Amino acid sequence: MEVNERRINQQVRSFEKALNGFSNTEPFARYLTRFFKENKQMGSSDRRMTSRFCYNYFRIGKAKADLPAIERLALAEYLCETHSELVVLVYPDLLATMGSSVTDKIKVLFEKFNFQLGDVFPFSEYITENIEKEAFIASFFTQPNLFIRIKRGFEKEVKSELENVNFAFEEIGLQTLALPNGTKLQQLVRLEGKYEVQDLSSQRTIQFIEALPNQSWWDACAASGGKALLFLDKYPKTHLLVSDIRMSILRNLDERFQKANIRQDYRKKVIDLTKDTTSILGNELFDGIILDAPCTGSGTWGRTPEMIQQFSVNQLAEFSDLQRNIAKHVVRHLKPGGVLTYITCSVFKEENENAVDYMVNELGLKLDRWEVIKGYEDKADSMFAARLIKQ
């Protein structure tokens, strides 16, 4: 196979320039957008390859950290792609197996380079036992899908429009579709408000929420409103309070609700859940509370692989303390017999089962059920959800 060495070297220089300018203080996607604006001479193909190289490089985490960046990048390209001119140039002997499965490629790299899967994600000892660790780590080498949730009643219209514009998609359920990552949904102007971008595992958390008409519910960490929209789509006759720590977040939520044509009343409040909530909520009690807690986000690092290198185990203890503090304040507003749905996008036991143990042993809740939602089996995020009842 002939390769354009000059072009590859230019692509590698762009990759190194982008990588060296990244300070690890913000999401890489945000940094990369700014990087491209500052380097307007880069064409679309250059931007595409720079993005691909960077994300693939992050996907091998801390594995083979002793190698030069270009060699690590070639190993990453081998694992993540089925064709790469860089691999042909740097490791031509790997070319014959580039079409193999990820599992087989990992074996090849172990034999040739002593490539250790544990070095990719060096936090395995903290992962919940319910997760198949090798399968979870290997999933980092495959780009997750883009998932959408169709608003109830618009299923046929959305699917028909996707077919009209020749967008490939897979039906996961009546309201859930999987599309290739990078699908340009902004082209679907006519469908605005009729679907939401929401990960498959996030959609599955609704299985842990059961509400009755006229019940009062609280989405305590609402953020941009994904769980609230999911909840209201299934339970439109409930009364919902949404809260977060900053008004700017809730304004974004308002915009999203308007686009989704949410007509039923909902309340919103700025609440710092790390402090006494009775100063704002008084003695108000809810039939149910959704606590999508702040967490490490380790179950979503397949989408943001730069986080593997940014993460420190010390942060795990910080998030654990934060989750327990928030739960302590939130639970006091739950009616006896009321339900708390606890959700994280983490794979770490300390943020999941151990957090549930705290709520059972210290906060008077009874565990109904919990589940690690293994998104790595479906090219999706991995999450945790638990349903607890106040006694």
Side-chain angles (χ1 to χ4, degrees), residues 38-308:
E38 294 171 354
N39 293 271
K40 296 181 179 179
Q41 76 281 2
M42 296 178 67
S44 59
S45 61
D46 292 330
R47 294 194 298 270
R48 185 169 57 252
M49 287 304 300
T50 297
S51 179
R52 166 178 150 172
F53 278 179
C54 288
Y55 276 105
N56 283 350
Y57 184 81
F58 288 134
R59 289 185 184 284
I60 65 169
K62 301 185 178 183
K64 304 309 295 181
D66 57 318
L67 292 178
I70 188 172
E71 294 182 28
R72 294 190 73 221
L73 175 59
L75 295 181
E77 281 278 291
Y78 171 74
L79 286 170
C80 300
E81 307 291 340
T82 56
H83 171 77
S84 173
E85 291 186 344
L86 180 66
V87 173
V88 177
L89 187 65
V90 179
Y91 292 122
D93 56 327
L94 294 178
L95 182 61
T97 53
M98 276 209 71
S100 302
S101 67
V102 170
T103 301
D104 288 341
K105 288 182 180 182
I106 292 169
K107 292 178 181 178
V108 169
L109 293 192
F110 173 75
E111 294 170 357
K112 290 181 176 292
F113 300 92
N114 192 29
F115 183 93
Q116 300 289 335
L117 199 58
D119 292 337
V120 173
F121 189 88
F123 317 107
S124 295
E125 62 183 292
Y126 303 99
I127 296 179
T128 174
E129 295 176 1
N130 289 63
I131 288 179
E132 294 81 14
K133 296 178 182 179
E134 289 192 358
F136 169 69
I137 298 172
S139 72
F140 280 80
F141 308 133
T142 303
Q143 180 87 341
N145 280 329
L146 172 67
F147 295 92
I148 64 172
R149 176 182 59 80
I150 306 174
K151 189 175 179 180
R152 197 173 302 274
F154 294 97
E155 294 88 352
K156 289 185 178 179
E157 180 180 348
V158 171
K159 293 172 189 176
S160 176
E161 181 65 13
L162 289 172
E163 289 171 349
N164 288 341
V165 296
N166 295 317
F167 277 8
F169 65 88
E170 176 187 357
E171 291 192 48
I172 305 299
L174 181 62
Q175 292 180 263
T176 306
L177 304 180
L179 299 92
N181 202 293
T183 301
K184 298 186 183 302
L185 293 176
Q186 60 269 29
Q187 298 177 16
L188 306 176
V189 179
R190 294 198 306 172
L191 296 180
E192 187 174 271
K194 299 174 182 177
Y195 72 90
E196 297 293 332
V197 175
Q198 187 170 36
D199 184 77
L200 175 63
S201 297
S202 182
Q203 294 184 47
R204 285 175 171 166
T205 60
I206 195 66
Q207 299 169 10
F208 290 80
I209 302 173
E210 299 172 8
L212 297 174
N214 295 315
Q215 280 190 335
S216 176
W217 278 71
W218 176 23
D219 185 353
C221 297
S224 61
K227 298 294 190 306
L229 286 168
L230 179 68
F231 174 80
L232 290 174
D233 188 55
K234 186 169 185 179
Y235 302 110
K237 296 182 180 180
T238 53
H239 306 288
L240 182 66
L241 168 68
V242 293
S243 71
D244 214 288
I245 196 170
R246 294 192 301 274
M247 178 55 73
S248 59
I249 294 175
L250 295 178
R251 280 196 290 267
N252 292 336
L253 180 148
D254 276 338
E255 292 178 6
R256 194 172 178 187
F257 274 34
Q258 289 171 7
K259 289 180 180 179
N261 198 27
I262 298 296
R263 294 180 178 178
Q264 60 263 52
D265 291 334
Y266 66 93
R267 295 182 296 150
K268 65 178 185 292
K269 291 182 181 292
V270 175
I271 304 177
D272 184 349
L273 299 177
T274 65
K275 300 177 181 178
D276 182 9
T277 49
T278 58
S279 62
I280 297 176
L281 293 177
N283 295 319
E284 184 172 3
L285 298 177
F286 298 89
D287 296 290
I289 298 174
I290 303 168
L291 179 55
D292 190 355
C295 68
T296 58
S298 50
T300 70
W301 289 353
R303 300 187 188 278
T304 55
E306 71 272 17
M307 291 301 302
I308 304 172

